[in-house]
Amino acid sequence: GESVGLHLPTLSVQEGDNSIINCAYSNSASDYFIWYKQESGKGPQFIIDIRSNMDKRQGQRVTVLLNKTVKHLSLQIAATQPGDSAVYFCAEKDVDSSYKLIFGSGTRLLVRP
Amino acid sequence: KAGVTQTPRYLIKTRGQQVTLSCSPISGHRSVSWYQQTPGQGLQFLFEYFSETQRNKGNFPGRFSGRQFSNSRSEMNVSTLELGDSALYLCASSAGLSPYEQYFGPGTRLTVT
């Protein structure tokens, strides 16, 4: 498969455990954030989004938390499965352009069987 | 509903040549964005088109250009290829209006030799 990042931070978790992936963003005025999952050889897959007027949003097995005070975003994956192994990116909508996403550098999640 | 499609999936070109990549968005989506993904720089925004108009452009040289057709399909062109243009080029489709979530295609892997 294709490598999307040779020196990504890596999170290794046991299958069945919960995973927490963190992301810091730069602009306190950012008002929209997205988490993407990218598997080897594929494009990023939309997981969940959150607006800045919310602190928490839940999806299926995933929860995104937004802490605007410290400009921090986290993605929590419950009962992590082998299929969750991938690189995870957070992205923020550019304040100056509604049509541009600014991506973080990504975190590689490895799920141990 | 069919996802975003990109052609070709893989491409090998020689320095100095030019290349054209194609993207077909999700049916009904009018916005197409292009991103370049490399291990060193991560995901970087190239440009975005909506209804055949470029609405925003990233910080790439003029060798990178794009266009969108009336059926929302988009092409990007890179002229006078350089070794550093080797990357995964990703196309993302969205409705173009709030809430801005973008859905990515599988990408075109360009290798410049």
Side-chain angles (χ1 to χ4, degrees):
Chain A
E2 297 154 349
S3 170
V4 300
L6 298 179
H7 303 290
L8 292 174
T10 298
L11 175 66
S12 179
V13 300
Q14 190 73 37
E15 180 179 357
D17 287 351
N18 296 334
S19 303
I20 300 176
I21 300 171
N22 297 303
C23 176
Y25 62 94
S26 57
N27 195 329
S28 57
S30 294
D31 63 359
Y32 179 71
F33 306 87
I34 305 178
W35 278 100
Y36 284 94
K37 170 188 180 184
Q38 187 173 25
E39 297 174 278
S40 182
K42 298 182 179 180
Q45 175 187 353
F46 177 93
I47 302 173
I48 192 168
D49 60 359
I50 188 169
R51 293 184 178 277
S52 61
N53 61 355
M54 303 172 70
D55 296 324
K56 178 180 179 179
R57 189 167 187 219
Q58 289 184 290
Q60 186 176 12
R61 277 201 311 119
V62 295
T63 300
V64 56
L65 298 178
L66 176 61
N67 186 329
K68 294 180 285 294
T69 302
V70 295
K71 294 186 289 185
H72 183 268
L73 202 64
S74 68
L75 177 71
Q76 300 179 358
I77 304 173
T80 312
Q81 303 169 0
D84 295 327
S85 292
V87 176
Y88 289 81
F89 295 95
C90 67
E92 61 184 290
K93 181 173 68 68
D94 188 346
V95 172
D96 296 325
S97 167
S98 297
Y99 324 115
K100 173 183 174 182
L101 293 176
I102 301 171
F103 281 82
S105 56
T107 296
R108 190 182 304 276
L109 176 65
L110 295 177
V111 181
R112 304 187 305 274
Chain B
K1 193 183 265 191
V4 180
T5 58
Q6 292 186 245
T7 56
R9 291 294 313 278
Y10 302 91
L11 206 49
I12 300 175
K13 290 287 189 178
T14 304
R15 262 184 311 175
Q17 288 185 316
Q18 74 166 10
V19 66
T20 299
L21 312 181
S22 181
C23 171
S24 293
I26 293 170
S27 177
H29 282 187
R30 296 163 65 188
S31 168
V32 173
S33 299
W34 289 89
Y35 293 81
Q36 181 195 65
Q37 186 174 31
T38 59
Q41 299 298 319
L43 274 149
Q44 292 190 293
F45 175 80
L46 280 156
F47 29 66
E48 187 261 357
Y49 289 87
F50 180 83
S51 293
E52 301 179 69
T53 299
Q54 185 182 89
R55 293 198 293 191
N56 199 25
K57 190 176 191 298
N59 296 321
F60 280 81
R63 300 185 298 106
F64 291 81
S65 64
R67 60 177 175 169
Q68 187 180 34
F69 302 95
S70 58
N71 62 358
S72 294
R73 190 178 69 85
S74 176
E75 291 181 345
M76 67 162 283
N77 183 276
V78 187
S79 62
T80 319
L81 284 165
E82 300 177 359
L83 295 179
D85 297 333
S86 294
L88 182 66
Y89 289 89
L90 291 158
C91 162
S93 157
S94 82
L97 306 169
S98 177
Y100 310 117
E101 65 255 32
Q102 298 182 8
Y103 298 91
F104 283 83
T108 294
R109 167 65 66 182
L110 172 65
T111 302
V112 182
T113 62

PDB file of all heavy atoms in Angstrom, chain A residues 60-91:
ATOM      1  N   GLN A  60     -21.360   6.811  15.299  1.00  0.00           N
ATOM      2  CA  GLN A  60     -21.347   5.382  15.595  1.00  0.00           C
ATOM      3  C   GLN A  60     -19.955   4.977  16.069  1.00  0.00           C
ATOM      4  O   GLN A  60     -19.003   5.009  15.311  1.00  0.00           O
ATOM      5  CB  GLN A  60     -21.712   4.601  14.343  1.00  0.00           C
ATOM      6  CG  GLN A  60     -21.872   3.112  14.579  1.00  0.00           C
ATOM      7  CD  GLN A  60     -22.330   2.388  13.338  1.00  0.00           C
ATOM      8  OE1 GLN A  60     -22.320   2.927  12.248  1.00  0.00           O
ATOM      9  NE2 GLN A  60     -22.725   1.148  13.489  1.00  0.00           N
ATOM     10  N   ARG A  61     -19.814   4.667  17.316  1.00  0.00           N
ATOM     11  CA  ARG A  61     -18.557   4.257  17.972  1.00  0.00           C
ATOM     12  C   ARG A  61     -17.517   5.376  18.056  1.00  0.00           C
ATOM     13  O   ARG A  61     -16.415   5.161  18.524  1.00  0.00           O
ATOM     14  CB  ARG A  61     -17.903   3.042  17.273  1.00  0.00           C
ATOM     15  CG  ARG A  61     -18.421   1.708  17.652  1.00  0.00           C
ATOM     16  CD  ARG A  61     -17.446   0.562  17.357  1.00  0.00           C
ATOM     17  NE  ARG A  61     -16.897   0.589  16.020  1.00  0.00           N
ATOM     18  CZ  ARG A  61     -15.603   0.705  15.749  1.00  0.00           C
ATOM     19  NH1 ARG A  61     -14.708   0.835  16.712  1.00  0.00           N
ATOM     20  NH2 ARG A  61     -15.182   0.700  14.500  1.00  0.00           N
ATOM     21  N   VAL A  62     -17.829   6.536  17.546  1.00  0.00           N
ATOM     22  CA  VAL A  62     -16.876   7.646  17.599  1.00  0.00           C
ATOM     23  C   VAL A  62     -17.490   8.861  18.291  1.00  0.00           C
ATOM     24  O   VAL A  62     -18.690   9.088  18.191  1.00  0.00           O
ATOM     25  CB  VAL A  62     -16.368   8.057  16.200  1.00  0.00           C
ATOM     26  CG1 VAL A  62     -15.568   6.931  15.559  1.00  0.00           C
ATOM     27  CG2 VAL A  62     -17.505   8.499  15.310  1.00  0.00           C
ATOM     28  N   THR A  63     -16.623   9.584  18.983  1.00  0.00           N
ATOM     29  CA  THR A  63     -17.018  10.826  19.636  1.00  0.00           C
ATOM     30  C   THR A  63     -15.933  11.858  19.365  1.00  0.00           C
ATOM     31  O   THR A  63     -14.743  11.540  19.498  1.00  0.00           O
ATOM     32  CB  THR A  63     -17.156  10.636  21.154  1.00  0.00           C
ATOM     33  OG1 THR A  63     -18.140   9.641  21.424  1.00  0.00           O
ATOM     34  CG2 THR A  63     -17.582  11.940  21.831  1.00  0.00           C
ATOM     35  N   VAL A  64     -16.328  13.050  18.987  1.00  0.00           N
ATOM     36  CA  VAL A  64     -15.361  14.130  18.820  1.00  0.00           C
ATOM     37  C   VAL A  64     -15.600  15.143  19.932  1.00  0.00           C
ATOM     38  O   VAL A  64     -16.735  15.499  20.225  1.00  0.00           O
ATOM     39  CB  VAL A  64     -15.449  14.773  17.419  1.00  0.00           C
ATOM     40  CG1 VAL A  64     -16.840  15.272  17.114  1.00  0.00           C
ATOM     41  CG2 VAL A  64     -14.428  15.887  17.275  1.00  0.00           C
ATOM     42  N   LEU A  65     -14.524  15.554  20.556  1.00  0.00           N
ATOM     43  CA  LEU A  65     -14.567  16.560  21.608  1.00  0.00           C
ATOM     44  C   LEU A  65     -13.791  17.784  21.152  1.00  0.00           C
ATOM     45  O   LEU A  65     -12.698  17.666  20.581  1.00  0.00           O
ATOM     46  CB  LEU A  65     -13.940  16.014  22.896  1.00  0.00           C
ATOM     47  CG  LEU A  65     -14.629  14.802  23.525  1.00  0.00           C
ATOM     48  CD1 LEU A  65     -13.857  14.355  24.761  1.00  0.00           C
ATOM     49  CD2 LEU A  65     -16.065  15.108  23.882  1.00  0.00           C
ATOM     50  N   LEU A  66     -14.360  18.936  21.408  1.00  0.00           N
ATOM     51  CA  LEU A  66     -13.728  20.189  21.010  1.00  0.00           C
ATOM     52  C   LEU A  66     -13.517  21.058  22.238  1.00  0.00           C
ATOM     53  O   LEU A  66     -14.470  21.379  22.954  1.00  0.00           O
ATOM     54  CB  LEU A  66     -14.608  20.916  19.992  1.00  0.00           C
ATOM     55  CG  LEU A  66     -14.151  22.289  19.537  1.00  0.00           C
ATOM     56  CD1 LEU A  66     -12.787  22.214  18.845  1.00  0.00           C
ATOM     57  CD2 LEU A  66     -15.181  22.916  18.598  1.00  0.00           C
ATOM     58  N   ASN A  67     -12.280  21.431  22.481  1.00  0.00           N
ATOM     59  CA  ASN A  67     -11.950  22.336  23.575  1.00  0.00           C
ATOM     60  C   ASN A  67     -11.393  23.618  22.979  1.00  0.00           C
ATOM     61  O   ASN A  67     -10.214  23.689  22.610  1.00  0.00           O
ATOM     62  CB  ASN A  67     -10.917  21.694  24.506  1.00  0.00           C
ATOM     63  CG  ASN A  67     -10.641  22.541  25.744  1.00  0.00           C
ATOM     64  OD1 ASN A  67     -10.726  23.769  25.708  1.00  0.00           O
ATOM     65  ND2 ASN A  67     -10.309  21.891  26.843  1.00  0.00           N
ATOM     66  N   LYS A  68     -12.244  24.605  22.877  1.00  0.00           N
ATOM     67  CA  LYS A  68     -11.850  25.842  22.209  1.00  0.00           C
ATOM     68  C   LYS A  68     -10.867  26.660  23.053  1.00  0.00           C
ATOM     69  O   LYS A  68     -10.102  27.448  22.518  1.00  0.00           O
ATOM     70  CB  LYS A  68     -13.092  26.664  21.873  1.00  0.00           C
ATOM     71  CG  LYS A  68     -13.992  25.995  20.843  1.00  0.00           C
ATOM     72  CD  LYS A  68     -15.214  26.819  20.528  1.00  0.00           C
ATOM     73  CE  LYS A  68     -16.240  26.755  21.633  1.00  0.00           C
ATOM     74  NZ  LYS A  68     -16.823  25.411  21.788  1.00  0.00           N
ATOM     75  N   THR A  69     -10.916  26.459  24.353  1.00  0.00           N
ATOM     76  CA  THR A  69     -10.038  27.220  25.238  1.00  0.00           C
ATOM     77  C   THR A  69      -8.570  26.946  24.929  1.00  0.00           C
ATOM     78  O   THR A  69      -7.738  27.852  24.910  1.00  0.00           O
ATOM     79  CB  THR A  69     -10.327  26.878  26.708  1.00  0.00           C
ATOM     80  OG1 THR A  69     -11.695  27.155  26.980  1.00  0.00           O
ATOM     81  CG2 THR A  69      -9.442  27.692  27.638  1.00  0.00           C
ATOM     82  N   VAL A  70      -8.275  25.679  24.676  1.00  0.00           N
ATOM     83  CA  VAL A  70      -6.882  25.309  24.396  1.00  0.00           C
ATOM     84  C   VAL A  70      -6.691  24.907  22.938  1.00  0.00           C
ATOM     85  O   VAL A  70      -5.645  24.377  22.572  1.00  0.00           O
ATOM     86  CB  VAL A  70      -6.406  24.185  25.341  1.00  0.00           C
ATOM     87  CG1 VAL A  70      -6.376  24.681  26.773  1.00  0.00           C
ATOM     88  CG2 VAL A  70      -7.297  22.959  25.219  1.00  0.00           C
ATOM     89  N   LYS A  71      -7.678  25.152  22.116  1.00  0.00           N
ATOM     90  CA  LYS A  71      -7.607  24.840  20.686  1.00  0.00           C
ATOM     91  C   LYS A  71      -7.223  23.385  20.464  1.00  0.00           C
ATOM     92  O   LYS A  71      -6.223  23.078  19.778  1.00  0.00           O
ATOM     93  CB  LYS A  71      -6.649  25.799  19.979  1.00  0.00           C
ATOM     94  CG  LYS A  71      -7.150  27.247  19.975  1.00  0.00           C
ATOM     95  CD  LYS A  71      -6.262  28.163  19.148  1.00  0.00           C
ATOM     96  CE  LYS A  71      -4.943  28.398  19.826  1.00  0.00           C
ATOM     97  NZ  LYS A  71      -4.083  29.371  19.112  1.00  0.00           N
ATOM     98  N   HIS A  72      -8.019  22.500  21.007  1.00  0.00           N
ATOM     99  CA  HIS A  72      -7.718  21.079  20.972  1.00  0.00           C
ATOM    100  C   HIS A  72      -8.951  20.289  20.547  1.00  0.00           C
ATOM    101  O   HIS A  72     -10.078  20.580  20.969  1.00  0.00           O
ATOM    102  CB  HIS A  72      -7.243  20.643  22.364  1.00  0.00           C
ATOM    103  CG  HIS A  72      -6.836  19.211  22.420  1.00  0.00           C
ATOM    104  ND1 HIS A  72      -7.716  18.198  22.758  1.00  0.00           N
ATOM    105  CD2 HIS A  72      -5.639  18.608  22.187  1.00  0.00           C
ATOM    106  CE1 HIS A  72      -7.079  17.055  22.727  1.00  0.00           C
ATOM    107  NE2 HIS A  72      -5.817  17.261  22.392  1.00  0.00           N
ATOM    108  N   LEU A  73      -8.679  19.298  19.747  1.00  0.00           N
ATOM    109  CA  LEU A  73      -9.729  18.433  19.213  1.00  0.00           C
ATOM    110  C   LEU A  73      -9.315  16.989  19.497  1.00  0.00           C
ATOM    111  O   LEU A  73      -8.120  16.663  19.402  1.00  0.00           O
ATOM    112  CB  LEU A  73      -9.785  18.656  17.708  1.00  0.00           C
ATOM    113  CG  LEU A  73     -11.007  18.350  16.877  1.00  0.00           C
ATOM    114  CD1 LEU A  73     -12.164  19.230  17.287  1.00  0.00           C
ATOM    115  CD2 LEU A  73     -10.676  18.597  15.408  1.00  0.00           C
ATOM    116  N   SER A  74     -10.261  16.152  19.856  1.00  0.00           N
ATOM    117  CA  SER A  74      -9.921  14.746  20.019  1.00  0.00           C
ATOM    118  C   SER A  74     -10.994  13.864  19.399  1.00  0.00           C
ATOM    119  O   SER A  74     -12.158  14.250  19.306  1.00  0.00           O
ATOM    120  CB  SER A  74      -9.742  14.392  21.497  1.00  0.00           C
ATOM    121  OG  SER A  74     -10.977  14.467  22.178  1.00  0.00           O
ATOM    122  N   LEU A  75     -10.535  12.705  18.962  1.00  0.00           N
ATOM    123  CA  LEU A  75     -11.432  11.694  18.397  1.00  0.00           C
ATOM    124  C   LEU A  75     -11.339  10.465  19.281  1.00  0.00           C
ATOM    125  O   LEU A  75     -10.242   9.930  19.473  1.00  0.00           O
ATOM    126  CB  LEU A  75     -11.026  11.346  16.966  1.00  0.00           C
ATOM    127  CG  LEU A  75     -11.848  10.252  16.292  1.00  0.00           C
ATOM    128  CD1 LEU A  75     -13.247  10.767  15.977  1.00  0.00           C
ATOM    129  CD2 LEU A  75     -11.163   9.762  15.012  1.00  0.00           C
ATOM    130  N   GLN A  76     -12.446  10.042  19.802  1.00  0.00           N
ATOM    131  CA  GLN A  76     -12.484   8.845  20.636  1.00  0.00           C
ATOM    132  C   GLN A  76     -13.174   7.745  19.859  1.00  0.00           C
ATOM    133  O   GLN A  76     -14.265   7.952  19.324  1.00  0.00           O
ATOM    134  CB  GLN A  76     -13.217   9.126  21.940  1.00  0.00           C
ATOM    135  CG  GLN A  76     -12.566  10.231  22.769  1.00  0.00           C
ATOM    136  CD  GLN A  76     -13.324  10.519  24.053  1.00  0.00           C
ATOM    137  OE1 GLN A  76     -14.362   9.922  24.329  1.00  0.00           O
ATOM    138  NE2 GLN A  76     -12.793  11.436  24.847  1.00  0.00           N
ATOM    139  N   ILE A  77     -12.528   6.599  19.793  1.00  0.00           N
ATOM    140  CA  ILE A  77     -13.092   5.432  19.126  1.00  0.00           C
ATOM    141  C   ILE A  77     -13.346   4.372  20.190  1.00  0.00           C
ATOM    142  O   ILE A  77     -12.410   3.952  20.896  1.00  0.00           O
ATOM    143  CB  ILE A  77     -12.148   4.878  18.047  1.00  0.00           C
ATOM    144  CG1 ILE A  77     -11.794   5.977  17.040  1.00  0.00           C
ATOM    145  CG2 ILE A  77     -12.778   3.685  17.334  1.00  0.00           C
ATOM    146  CD1 ILE A  77     -10.731   5.554  16.026  1.00  0.00           C
ATOM    147  N   ALA A  78     -14.573   3.964  20.307  1.00  0.00           N
ATOM    148  CA  ALA A  78     -14.928   2.955  21.312  1.00  0.00           C
ATOM    149  C   ALA A  78     -14.724   1.552  20.749  1.00  0.00           C
ATOM    150  O   ALA A  78     -14.937   1.310  19.560  1.00  0.00           O
ATOM    151  CB  ALA A  78     -16.379   3.140  21.740  1.00  0.00           C
ATOM    152  N   ALA A  79     -14.289   0.649  21.647  1.00  0.00           N
ATOM    153  CA  ALA A  79     -14.144  -0.764  21.275  1.00  0.00           C
ATOM    154  C   ALA A  79     -13.405  -0.891  19.945  1.00  0.00           C
ATOM    155  O   ALA A  79     -13.928  -1.420  18.959  1.00  0.00           O
ATOM    156  CB  ALA A  79     -15.512  -1.426  21.202  1.00  0.00           C
ATOM    157  N   THR A  80     -12.169  -0.416  19.926  1.00  0.00           N
ATOM    158  CA  THR A  80     -11.388  -0.368  18.698  1.00  0.00           C
ATOM    159  C   THR A  80     -11.250  -1.741  18.052  1.00  0.00           C
ATOM    160  O   THR A  80     -11.008  -2.749  18.720  1.00  0.00           O
ATOM    161  CB  THR A  80      -9.993   0.208  18.991  1.00  0.00           C
ATOM    162  OG1 THR A  80     -10.132   1.399  19.777  1.00  0.00           O
ATOM    163  CG2 THR A  80      -9.278   0.568  17.703  1.00  0.00           C
ATOM    164  N   GLN A  81     -11.406  -1.757  16.746  1.00  0.00           N
ATOM    165  CA  GLN A  81     -11.373  -2.999  15.970  1.00  0.00           C
ATOM    166  C   GLN A  81     -10.191  -2.983  15.000  1.00  0.00           C
ATOM    167  O   GLN A  81      -9.686  -1.918  14.655  1.00  0.00           O
ATOM    168  CB  GLN A  81     -12.685  -3.136  15.187  1.00  0.00           C
ATOM    169  CG  GLN A  81     -13.925  -3.114  16.059  1.00  0.00           C
ATOM    170  CD  GLN A  81     -15.199  -2.988  15.242  1.00  0.00           C
ATOM    171  OE1 GLN A  81     -15.170  -2.910  14.013  1.00  0.00           O
ATOM    172  NE2 GLN A  81     -16.334  -2.984  15.918  1.00  0.00           N
ATOM    173  N   PRO A  82      -9.757  -4.146  14.532  1.00  0.00           N
ATOM    174  CA  PRO A  82      -8.645  -4.182  13.568  1.00  0.00           C
ATOM    175  C   PRO A  82      -8.897  -3.308  12.343  1.00  0.00           C
ATOM    176  O   PRO A  82      -7.977  -2.694  11.807  1.00  0.00           O
ATOM    177  CB  PRO A  82      -8.564  -5.664  13.194  1.00  0.00           C
ATOM    178  CG  PRO A  82      -9.069  -6.376  14.406  1.00  0.00           C
ATOM    179  CD  PRO A  82     -10.168  -5.495  14.963  1.00  0.00           C
ATOM    180  N   GLY A  83     -10.149  -3.216  11.923  1.00  0.00           N
ATOM    181  CA  GLY A  83     -10.480  -2.384  10.766  1.00  0.00           C
ATOM    182  C   GLY A  83     -10.320  -0.896  11.018  1.00  0.00           C
ATOM    183  O   GLY A  83     -10.394  -0.104  10.076  1.00  0.00           O
ATOM    184  N   ASP A  84     -10.099  -0.525  12.253  1.00  0.00           N
ATOM    185  CA  ASP A  84      -9.867   0.887  12.579  1.00  0.00           C
ATOM    186  C   ASP A  84      -8.418   1.291  12.333  1.00  0.00           C
ATOM    187  O   ASP A  84      -8.104   2.485  12.391  1.00  0.00           O
ATOM    188  CB  ASP A  84     -10.226   1.165  14.040  1.00  0.00           C
ATOM    189  CG  ASP A  84     -11.704   0.983  14.336  1.00  0.00           C
ATOM    190  OD1 ASP A  84     -12.525   1.255  13.426  1.00  0.00           O
ATOM    191  OD2 ASP A  84     -12.039   0.550  15.463  1.00  0.00           O
ATOM    192  N   SER A  85      -7.554   0.340  12.078  1.00  0.00           N
ATOM    193  CA  SER A  85      -6.144   0.652  11.812  1.00  0.00           C
ATOM    194  C   SER A  85      -6.044   1.502  10.560  1.00  0.00           C
ATOM    195  O   SER A  85      -6.512   1.113   9.487  1.00  0.00           O
ATOM    196  CB  SER A  85      -5.338  -0.636  11.630  1.00  0.00           C
ATOM    197  OG  SER A  85      -5.248  -1.362  12.836  1.00  0.00           O
ATOM    198  N   ALA A  86      -5.472   2.675  10.708  1.00  0.00           N
ATOM    199  CA  ALA A  86      -5.397   3.633   9.600  1.00  0.00           C
ATOM    200  C   ALA A  86      -4.661   4.871  10.104  1.00  0.00           C
ATOM    201  O   ALA A  86      -4.243   4.938  11.251  1.00  0.00           O
ATOM    202  CB  ALA A  86      -6.794   4.032   9.130  1.00  0.00           C
ATOM    203  N   VAL A  87      -4.531   5.846   9.227  1.00  0.00           N
ATOM    204  CA  VAL A  87      -4.037   7.160   9.628  1.00  0.00           C
ATOM    205  C   VAL A  87      -5.244   8.079   9.785  1.00  0.00           C
ATOM    206  O   VAL A  87      -6.128   8.100   8.924  1.00  0.00           O
ATOM    207  CB  VAL A  87      -3.062   7.735   8.590  1.00  0.00           C
ATOM    208  CG1 VAL A  87      -2.631   9.145   8.990  1.00  0.00           C
ATOM    209  CG2 VAL A  87      -1.847   6.831   8.444  1.00  0.00           C
ATOM    210  N   TYR A  88      -5.269   8.809  10.873  1.00  0.00           N
ATOM    211  CA  TYR A  88      -6.383   9.707  11.168  1.00  0.00           C
ATOM    212  C   TYR A  88      -5.915  11.160  11.095  1.00  0.00           C
ATOM    213  O   TYR A  88      -4.891  11.533  11.676  1.00  0.00           O
ATOM    214  CB  TYR A  88      -6.955   9.399  12.550  1.00  0.00           C
ATOM    215  CG  TYR A  88      -7.694   8.085  12.572  1.00  0.00           C
ATOM    216  CD1 TYR A  88      -7.008   6.882  12.688  1.00  0.00           C
ATOM    217  CD2 TYR A  88      -9.083   8.041  12.428  1.00  0.00           C
ATOM    218  CE1 TYR A  88      -7.667   5.668  12.672  1.00  0.00           C
ATOM    219  CE2 TYR A  88      -9.760   6.827  12.418  1.00  0.00           C
ATOM    220  CZ  TYR A  88      -9.048   5.651  12.535  1.00  0.00           C
ATOM    221  OH  TYR A  88      -9.714   4.454  12.508  1.00  0.00           O
ATOM    222  N   PHE A  89      -6.664  11.957  10.367  1.00  0.00           N
ATOM    223  CA  PHE A  89      -6.366  13.378  10.209  1.00  0.00           C
ATOM    224  C   PHE A  89      -7.505  14.220  10.765  1.00  0.00           C
ATOM    225  O   PHE A  89      -8.666  13.916  10.540  1.00  0.00           O
ATOM    226  CB  PHE A  89      -6.232  13.751   8.726  1.00  0.00           C
ATOM    227  CG  PHE A  89      -5.082  13.122   8.013  1.00  0.00           C
ATOM    228  CD1 PHE A  89      -5.254  11.946   7.295  1.00  0.00           C
ATOM    229  CD2 PHE A  89      -3.832  13.706   8.034  1.00  0.00           C
ATOM    230  CE1 PHE A  89      -4.194  11.365   6.614  1.00  0.00           C
ATOM    231  CE2 PHE A  89      -2.766  13.146   7.356  1.00  0.00           C
ATOM    232  CZ  PHE A  89      -2.945  11.964   6.648  1.00  0.00           C
ATOM    233  N   CYS A  90      -7.131  15.292  11.448  1.00  0.00           N
ATOM    234  CA  CYS A  90      -8.124  16.311  11.736  1.00  0.00           C
ATOM    235  C   CYS A  90      -7.941  17.424  10.705  1.00  0.00           C
ATOM    236  O   CYS A  90      -6.844  17.609  10.168  1.00  0.00           O
ATOM    237  CB  CYS A  90      -7.972  16.863  13.150  1.00  0.00           C
ATOM    238  SG  CYS A  90      -6.454  17.800  13.434  1.00  0.00           S
ATOM    239  N   ALA A  91      -9.008  18.105  10.404  1.00  0.00           N
ATOM    240  CA  ALA A  91      -8.944  19.219   9.462  1.00  0.00           C
ATOM    241  C   ALA A  91      -9.837  20.344   9.966  1.00  0.00           C
ATOM    242  O   ALA A  91     -10.885  20.091  10.564  1.00  0.00           O
ATOM    243  CB  ALA A  91      -9.388  18.781   8.064  1.00  0.00           C
TER     244      ALA A  91
END
